[in-house]
Amino acid sequence: MNHIGDRLIVEGRRKRTALVVGLDPDLRYIPDVVRQGVDPETGEGAAEAIYAFNRIVIDAVAEHVVAVKPQLAYYEIYGADGIAALEQTIRYARSKGLLVLNDAKRGDIGPTSAAYARAFLGEGPIAGDMVTVNPFLGSDGYMPFIEAAEAAGKGVFVLLKTSNPSSGELQDLKLGDGDKLYMKLAAELGRLGARSVGAHGYSCVGAVVGGTYPEEAAAIRAALPSAIFLVPGYGAQGGTAEALRPFFDARGEGAIISSSRGIIYAYRNLGEQWPSLSEAEISLAIGEEAARAKEAINAVRGAG
Ligand SMILES: O=c1ccn([C@@H]2O[C@H](COP(=O)(O)O)[C@@H](O)[C@H]2O)c(=O)[nH]1
């Protein structure tokens, strides 16, 4: 099956989940056992600890998620060593049958976007199955990603209404006809997505819609019935499962809900002794939290 919309729907049904776990590894929150024998002050040591941590997370969450979402910033901190950890992480996630969504938020002038599209949607070492795209430069900034996705059966998620508190400063601006900017972009993405709708009704052009904005999500869902939504903001940013219904279609599909800190650092809720927990304890806490999130989301989308 070579269509990302179909792959996400089929995998979501097979595993009965709409959850995506974000891989945002921050060394300050990685327990001692994972850092043993490495010097996290060096790029090499940091990268080793990050990859070891990501393996634990991936093993613990694999049965509960359709995809993992590495956040590029956490790898770029360590330059070439961090990118090597990203490469290893992508390979490992794929070996576990998971789709990979690079949260890179790229977008530039046309030729540079084309190069980014090759990096993230091509065949190279950090390419995944999907990538997040910043549309601020306009159509020649995002079209190279969409064309690359169409050609490769991969997916893009264009930032539309992001989860952060100040997202409205630009995204909610009213245009001459009274429409908000994000609704204008939604209409444009709908037109572009119509070119690549798969057997299950979804295109390769998805949208980022923050879980912290359920009212806006209802309007965007109505305008964009064939776009899969990537929904960040659940968990650590205050987004709740109860608020997620408008993000899904009538069948309870069409959205993937992302959580990073709330799941990968779940063991920190066990108390101040978290730095000295064993690998088994860390893994159990992460897996249990992923299962809890999956079921809470399933209950709301009617897949309970
Ligand atoms: O609108 C957006 C777009 C992307 N993000 C990214 O998702 C994760 C959220 O992490 P949590 O720990 O679950 O809050 C992070 O990588 C962001 O860069 C987003 O939050 N909102």
Side-chain angles (χ1 to χ4, degrees), residues 6 12 24 32 40 43 62 68 95 129 142 157 167 182 215 224 231:
D6 292 337
D24 302 31
D32 298 342
V68 286
S95 78
D129 304 288
Y142 55 74
F157 288 94
S167 72
Y182 67 81
E215 279 176 30
L224 261 183
V231 185

PDB file of all heavy atoms in Angstrom, residues 6 12 24 32 40 43 62 68 95 129 142 157 167 182 215 224 231:
ATOM      1  N   ASP A   6      -4.042   6.059   3.428  1.00  0.00           N
ATOM      2  CA  ASP A   6      -4.513   4.678   3.594  1.00  0.00           C
ATOM      3  C   ASP A   6      -3.699   3.948   4.661  1.00  0.00           C
ATOM      4  O   ASP A   6      -4.252   3.210   5.488  1.00  0.00           O
ATOM      5  CB  ASP A   6      -4.415   3.925   2.254  1.00  0.00           C
ATOM      6  CG  ASP A   6      -5.397   4.472   1.227  1.00  0.00           C
ATOM      7  OD1 ASP A   6      -6.404   5.084   1.637  1.00  0.00           O
ATOM      8  OD2 ASP A   6      -5.145   4.294   0.020  1.00  0.00           O
ATOM      9  N   GLY A  12      -4.146   2.333  11.976  1.00  0.00           N
ATOM     10  CA  GLY A  12      -4.953   2.780  13.119  1.00  0.00           C
ATOM     11  C   GLY A  12      -6.036   1.766  13.458  1.00  0.00           C
ATOM     12  O   GLY A  12      -6.317   1.502  14.631  1.00  0.00           O
ATOM     13  N   ASP A  24      10.981  13.589  21.910  1.00  0.00           N
ATOM     14  CA  ASP A  24      11.612  14.885  22.211  1.00  0.00           C
ATOM     15  C   ASP A  24      12.601  14.677  23.356  1.00  0.00           C
ATOM     16  O   ASP A  24      12.364  15.125  24.484  1.00  0.00           O
ATOM     17  CB  ASP A  24      10.555  15.911  22.663  1.00  0.00           C
ATOM     18  CG  ASP A  24       9.440  16.163  21.661  1.00  0.00           C
ATOM     19  OD1 ASP A  24       9.080  15.247  20.912  1.00  0.00           O
ATOM     20  OD2 ASP A  24       8.916  17.293  21.658  1.00  0.00           O
ATOM     21  N   ASP A  32      19.295   7.937  35.189  1.00  0.00           N
ATOM     22  CA  ASP A  32      20.719   7.595  35.268  1.00  0.00           C
ATOM     23  C   ASP A  32      21.054   6.308  34.534  1.00  0.00           C
ATOM     24  O   ASP A  32      22.091   6.210  33.878  1.00  0.00           O
ATOM     25  CB  ASP A  32      21.136   7.441  36.748  1.00  0.00           C
ATOM     26  CG  ASP A  32      20.951   8.749  37.504  1.00  0.00           C
ATOM     27  OD1 ASP A  32      20.847   9.805  36.827  1.00  0.00           O
ATOM     28  OD2 ASP A  32      20.873   8.707  38.749  1.00  0.00           O
ATOM     29  N   PRO A  40      27.437  12.484  28.840  1.00  0.00           N
ATOM     30  CA  PRO A  40      26.467  13.290  28.094  1.00  0.00           C
ATOM     31  C   PRO A  40      26.950  14.712  27.816  1.00  0.00           C
ATOM     32  O   PRO A  40      26.285  15.469  27.123  1.00  0.00           O
ATOM     33  CB  PRO A  40      25.228  13.272  28.976  1.00  0.00           C
ATOM     34  CG  PRO A  40      25.663  12.806  30.303  1.00  0.00           C
ATOM     35  CD  PRO A  40      26.998  12.170  30.191  1.00  0.00           C
ATOM     36  N   GLY A  43      29.090  15.393  22.580  1.00  0.00           N
ATOM     37  CA  GLY A  43      28.041  15.154  21.592  1.00  0.00           C
ATOM     38  C   GLY A  43      27.819  13.664  21.399  1.00  0.00           C
ATOM     39  O   GLY A  43      26.685  13.190  21.314  1.00  0.00           O
ATOM     40  N   ALA A  62       5.308   0.795  21.178  1.00  0.00           N
ATOM     41  CA  ALA A  62       5.067   0.329  19.794  1.00  0.00           C
ATOM     42  C   ALA A  62       3.664  -0.228  19.584  1.00  0.00           C
ATOM     43  O   ALA A  62       3.034   0.044  18.569  1.00  0.00           O
ATOM     44  CB  ALA A  62       6.121  -0.691  19.395  1.00  0.00           C
ATOM     45  N   VAL A  68       5.782   7.300  15.360  1.00  0.00           N
ATOM     46  CA  VAL A  68       6.523   8.137  16.306  1.00  0.00           C
ATOM     47  C   VAL A  68       6.886   9.438  15.591  1.00  0.00           C
ATOM     48  O   VAL A  68       7.002   9.477  14.368  1.00  0.00           O
ATOM     49  CB  VAL A  68       7.797   7.448  16.853  1.00  0.00           C
ATOM     50  CG1 VAL A  68       7.436   6.368  17.845  1.00  0.00           C
ATOM     51  CG2 VAL A  68       8.683   6.924  15.733  1.00  0.00           C
ATOM     52  N   SER A  95      12.078  -0.627  12.113  1.00  0.00           N
ATOM     53  CA  SER A  95      12.262  -2.070  12.337  1.00  0.00           C
ATOM     54  C   SER A  95      11.156  -2.623  13.239  1.00  0.00           C
ATOM     55  O   SER A  95      10.907  -3.827  13.264  1.00  0.00           O
ATOM     56  CB  SER A  95      13.648  -2.365  12.943  1.00  0.00           C
ATOM     57  OG  SER A  95      13.647  -2.073  14.330  1.00  0.00           O
ATOM     58  N   ASP A 129       8.282   9.004   6.850  1.00  0.00           N
ATOM     59  CA  ASP A 129       7.087   8.809   6.027  1.00  0.00           C
ATOM     60  C   ASP A 129       6.277  10.090   5.911  1.00  0.00           C
ATOM     61  O   ASP A 129       5.451  10.229   5.021  1.00  0.00           O
ATOM     62  CB  ASP A 129       6.207   7.723   6.664  1.00  0.00           C
ATOM     63  CG  ASP A 129       6.986   6.436   6.841  1.00  0.00           C
ATOM     64  OD1 ASP A 129       7.258   5.783   5.838  1.00  0.00           O
ATOM     65  OD2 ASP A 129       7.368   6.120   7.997  1.00  0.00           O
ATOM     66  N   TYR A 142       5.575  25.487   0.073  1.00  0.00           N
ATOM     67  CA  TYR A 142       5.021  24.180   0.482  1.00  0.00           C
ATOM     68  C   TYR A 142       4.773  23.220  -0.674  1.00  0.00           C
ATOM     69  O   TYR A 142       4.723  22.009  -0.474  1.00  0.00           O
ATOM     70  CB  TYR A 142       3.783  24.324   1.380  1.00  0.00           C
ATOM     71  CG  TYR A 142       2.621  25.151   0.890  1.00  0.00           C
ATOM     72  CD1 TYR A 142       1.763  24.688  -0.099  1.00  0.00           C
ATOM     73  CD2 TYR A 142       2.353  26.400   1.452  1.00  0.00           C
ATOM     74  CE1 TYR A 142       0.680  25.452  -0.529  1.00  0.00           C
ATOM     75  CE2 TYR A 142       1.275  27.174   1.016  1.00  0.00           C
ATOM     76  CZ  TYR A 142       0.448  26.697   0.036  1.00  0.00           C
ATOM     77  OH  TYR A 142      -0.619  27.443  -0.390  1.00  0.00           O
ATOM     78  N   PHE A 157       2.240  17.460   6.783  1.00  0.00           N
ATOM     79  CA  PHE A 157       1.300  18.098   7.704  1.00  0.00           C
ATOM     80  C   PHE A 157       1.656  19.585   7.746  1.00  0.00           C
ATOM     81  O   PHE A 157       2.710  19.953   8.264  1.00  0.00           O
ATOM     82  CB  PHE A 157       1.381  17.474   9.099  1.00  0.00           C
ATOM     83  CG  PHE A 157       0.783  16.091   9.136  1.00  0.00           C
ATOM     84  CD1 PHE A 157       1.579  14.975   8.971  1.00  0.00           C
ATOM     85  CD2 PHE A 157      -0.583  15.916   9.289  1.00  0.00           C
ATOM     86  CE1 PHE A 157       1.030  13.700   8.969  1.00  0.00           C
ATOM     87  CE2 PHE A 157      -1.148  14.649   9.295  1.00  0.00           C
ATOM     88  CZ  PHE A 157      -0.339  13.541   9.132  1.00  0.00           C
ATOM     89  N   SER A 167      -0.705  31.309  19.068  1.00  0.00           N
ATOM     90  CA  SER A 167      -0.896  30.925  17.659  1.00  0.00           C
ATOM     91  C   SER A 167      -1.855  31.860  16.938  1.00  0.00           C
ATOM     92  O   SER A 167      -1.765  32.067  15.734  1.00  0.00           O
ATOM     93  CB  SER A 167      -1.376  29.475  17.543  1.00  0.00           C
ATOM     94  OG  SER A 167      -2.715  29.345  17.958  1.00  0.00           O
ATOM     95  N   TYR A 182      -6.144  31.086   8.934  1.00  0.00           N
ATOM     96  CA  TYR A 182      -6.018  29.622   8.918  1.00  0.00           C
ATOM     97  C   TYR A 182      -7.145  28.983   8.098  1.00  0.00           C
ATOM     98  O   TYR A 182      -6.954  27.916   7.501  1.00  0.00           O
ATOM     99  CB  TYR A 182      -5.919  29.030  10.343  1.00  0.00           C
ATOM    100  CG  TYR A 182      -7.142  29.142  11.212  1.00  0.00           C
ATOM    101  CD1 TYR A 182      -8.207  28.250  11.098  1.00  0.00           C
ATOM    102  CD2 TYR A 182      -7.216  30.116  12.187  1.00  0.00           C
ATOM    103  CE1 TYR A 182      -9.321  28.350  11.912  1.00  0.00           C
ATOM    104  CE2 TYR A 182      -8.331  30.230  13.005  1.00  0.00           C
ATOM    105  CZ  TYR A 182      -9.374  29.351  12.858  1.00  0.00           C
ATOM    106  OH  TYR A 182     -10.479  29.453  13.659  1.00  0.00           O
ATOM    107  N   GLU A 215     -12.719  24.292  19.251  1.00  0.00           N
ATOM    108  CA  GLU A 215     -13.750  25.004  18.466  1.00  0.00           C
ATOM    109  C   GLU A 215     -13.265  25.270  17.058  1.00  0.00           C
ATOM    110  O   GLU A 215     -13.984  25.066  16.065  1.00  0.00           O
ATOM    111  CB  GLU A 215     -14.098  26.331  19.130  1.00  0.00           C
ATOM    112  CG  GLU A 215     -15.082  26.150  20.265  1.00  0.00           C
ATOM    113  CD  GLU A 215     -15.350  27.461  20.978  1.00  0.00           C
ATOM    114  OE1 GLU A 215     -15.269  28.540  20.343  1.00  0.00           O
ATOM    115  OE2 GLU A 215     -15.626  27.399  22.194  1.00  0.00           O
ATOM    116  N   LEU A 224     -12.223  20.810   5.666  1.00  0.00           N
ATOM    117  CA  LEU A 224     -11.144  19.935   5.176  1.00  0.00           C
ATOM    118  C   LEU A 224     -11.472  18.462   5.463  1.00  0.00           C
ATOM    119  O   LEU A 224     -10.741  17.793   6.210  1.00  0.00           O
ATOM    120  CB  LEU A 224      -9.853  20.277   5.938  1.00  0.00           C
ATOM    121  CG  LEU A 224      -8.832  21.181   5.276  1.00  0.00           C
ATOM    122  CD1 LEU A 224      -7.603  21.340   6.159  1.00  0.00           C
ATOM    123  CD2 LEU A 224      -8.425  20.665   3.911  1.00  0.00           C
ATOM    124  N   VAL A 231      -2.552  16.274  15.613  1.00  0.00           N
ATOM    125  CA  VAL A 231      -3.060  17.062  16.745  1.00  0.00           C
ATOM    126  C   VAL A 231      -2.065  17.035  17.905  1.00  0.00           C
ATOM    127  O   VAL A 231      -2.067  16.101  18.721  1.00  0.00           O
ATOM    128  CB  VAL A 231      -4.430  16.508  17.205  1.00  0.00           C
ATOM    129  CG1 VAL A 231      -5.025  17.391  18.308  1.00  0.00           C
ATOM    130  CG2 VAL A 231      -5.398  16.385  16.030  1.00  0.00           C
TER     131      VAL A 231
END
